[in-house]
Amino acid sequence: MSLPAIDEKYLQNILVALLNIPSPTGFADAAIDRVAAALDELGLAHARTRKGALTTTLAGKRADAPRALTAHVDTLGAMVKEIKANGRLKLTKIGGFAWNTVEGESCQVFTRSGKIVNGSLLLTQASGHVHGAAVNETRRTDENMEVRLDERTSSAAETRELGIEVGDFVAFAPRVVVTESGFIRSRHLDDKAGVAAMLAAAKALLDAGQTPAQRTTLHFSNYEEVGHGAAAGFPADLAELVAVDMAAVGAGQTSDEFHVTICVKDSGGPYHHGLSNHLRSLADQHKIPYQVDIYPYYGSDAEAFWRAGGDVRAALIGPGVDASHNYERTHMDALMATTRLILAYLLAEA
Ligand SMILES: [Zn+2]
């Protein structure tokens, strides 16, 4: 059996659209709304959990062992921790990343009234002409990083007049670039790449008029980066959950930017051996370029569901992303391979 054709342009376009929507964890509604609009375009009814995740259900040929796939739209980001006496902002991180990965980056502050104030994240001792060797030697800590706003402010009071308060969300510019050679480099490919692959798989299935083997829930999570995204939001009779999230590329890893990876173990321990092997067999059978890998510093939404008590077979697949939780990059080959593996999984009888 051959897999349905994937609309590669759609996959790329929906990915770029999502990447350009700021959606730090806790402030991901705009990205969830965009996914809901994509489901509307596909004619798929959807619902939201109270926590704000989005789900849609694909009817299956059977429903005796229902399946689900999850990917997350929320991303790394920050929140205003303190308005400093000099009018600049001290931040607190949302999600796990190092400050140097966003140093010098443009950012947006989302005020309570809906106004957006632009700025950039800098070291407090940023100027080489003023601080000399300290620019290099200062540790990048919460204390030593600040947002310089693109507004005339030099006091806390002036900054508050802009409408900025403690608790405002801050998003870093993704800097999305699509190259002629098929690379996509951007922040937050983790996990908008996974979301785009799930949507492209759903579209391919619908375009081909095919039905999944089992009733399948597509779950779009909004709290993954802080560890509990997919802890809830699935039907009670769920039998299997596959998280679609980025594969960690780097020294010692098998993952790369041109394959889908089946992750068999990460910081949360091994995934379900039977389901991982099933996915390997499907990739073999359909000649999908894949790797099997282990991620040393990683947790997924499939494990979030396990930790919340979910009694299912759980696995993790996803496209290789270079420099994850930094200025990331992947290739269309990895995105296509991921989408094909999702399709193979959806259509497989067992
Ligand atoms: Zn992720």
Side-chain angles (χ1 to χ4, degrees), residues 6-27:
I6 297 161
D7 184 342
E8 192 165 354
K9 205 67 216 164
Y10 173 85
L11 171 57
Q12 188 180 101
N13 288 345
I14 192 73
L15 174 57
V16 169
L18 286 168
L19 289 168
N20 280 309
I21 297 171
S23 58
T25 308
F27 194 71

Side-chain angles (χ1 to χ4, degrees), residues 66-112:
R67 300 170 183 171
L69 291 150
T70 183
H72 66 95
V73 298
D74 63 302
T75 73
L76 304 175
M79 194 181 257
V80 176
K81 163 66 177 61
E82 203 176 306
I83 300 172
K84 297 169 65 167
N86 64 3
R88 297 187 177 200
L89 309 175
K90 189 172 149 182
L91 301 182
T92 180
K93 289 178 204 169
I94 296 172
F97 63 97
W99 283 124
N100 63 288
T101 62
V102 282
E103 187 175 343
E105 190 61 275
S106 299
C107 62
Q108 293 184 310
V109 182
F110 297 87
T111 69
R112 192 173 156 212

Side-chain angles (χ1 to χ4, degrees), residues 88-336:
R88 297 187 177 200
L89 309 175
K90 189 172 149 182
L91 301 182
T92 180
K93 289 178 204 169
I94 296 172
F97 63 97
W99 283 124
N100 63 288
T101 62
V102 282
E103 187 175 343
E105 190 61 275
S106 299
C107 62
Q108 293 184 310
V109 182
F110 297 87
T111 69
R112 192 173 156 212
S113 70
K115 192 174 117 187
I116 297 170
V117 182
N118 292 305
S120 38
L121 184 76
L122 295 164
L123 187 66
T124 48
Q125 295 173 293
S127 170
H129 297 104
V130 179
H131 300 287
V135 177
N136 189 37
E137 289 161 7
T138 304
R139 272 181 59 81
R140 273 55 179 168
T141 62
D142 291 12
E143 252 356 277
N144 295 332
M145 306 301 293
E146 64 185 11
V147 173
R148 176 189 63 192
L149 298 165
D150 297 334
E151 298 286 345
R152 287 183 178 242
T153 170
S154 55
S155 70
E158 285 173 306
T159 294
R160 286 207 155 86
E161 274 171 32
L162 298 168
I164 293 174
E165 274 302 340
V166 169
D168 288 349
F169 281 93
V170 176
F172 300 105
R175 277 192 288 134
V176 188
V177 176
V178 179
T179 74
E180 290 282 321
S181 48
F183 287 101
I184 295 128
R185 77 176 137 85
S186 174
R187 295 187 185 283
H188 314 141
L189 286 167
D190 173 11
D191 180 33
K192 288 171 174 176
V195 173
M198 264 167 60
L199 289 170
K203 181 174 190 292
L205 212 60
L206 293 165
D207 286 350
Q210 295 204 42
T211 306
Q214 290 281 346
R215 165 164 45 84
T216 304
T217 302
L218 303 184
H219 178 277
F220 300 95
S221 165
N222 63 335
Y223 271 92
E224 192 276 348
E225 289 292 359
V226 294
H228 59 76
F234 300 101
D237 61 353
L238 191 71
E240 286 181 358
L241 173 61
V242 175
V244 184
D245 206 340
M246 51 134 291
V249 172
Q253 299 298 108
T254 60
S255 301
D256 65 31
E257 295 161 275
F258 313 103
H259 291 74
V260 57
T261 296
I262 298 163
C263 175
V264 292
K265 178 181 180 291
D266 62 19
S267 307
Y271 285 90
H272 189 275
H273 191 48
L275 184 54
S276 296
N277 277 340
H278 174 54
L279 292 162
R280 289 169 81 156
S281 299
L282 289 173
D284 285 331
Q285 187 189 324
H286 293 281
K287 299 187 168 49
I288 298 166
Y290 77 101
Q291 301 286 359
V292 173
D293 210 353
I294 291 166
Y295 310 150
Y297 305 101
Y298 196 109
S300 79
D301 250 349
E303 286 161 343
F305 188 58
W306 265 354
R307 287 186 202 288
D311 178 21
V312 296
R313 307 199 318 160
L316 171 62
I317 65 170
V321 168
D322 187 64
S324 52
H325 283 199
N326 202 320
Y327 190 33
E328 300 170 345
R329 194 182 72 169
T330 191
H331 192 276
M332 284 306 295
D333 286 359
L335 299 174
M336 288 294 282

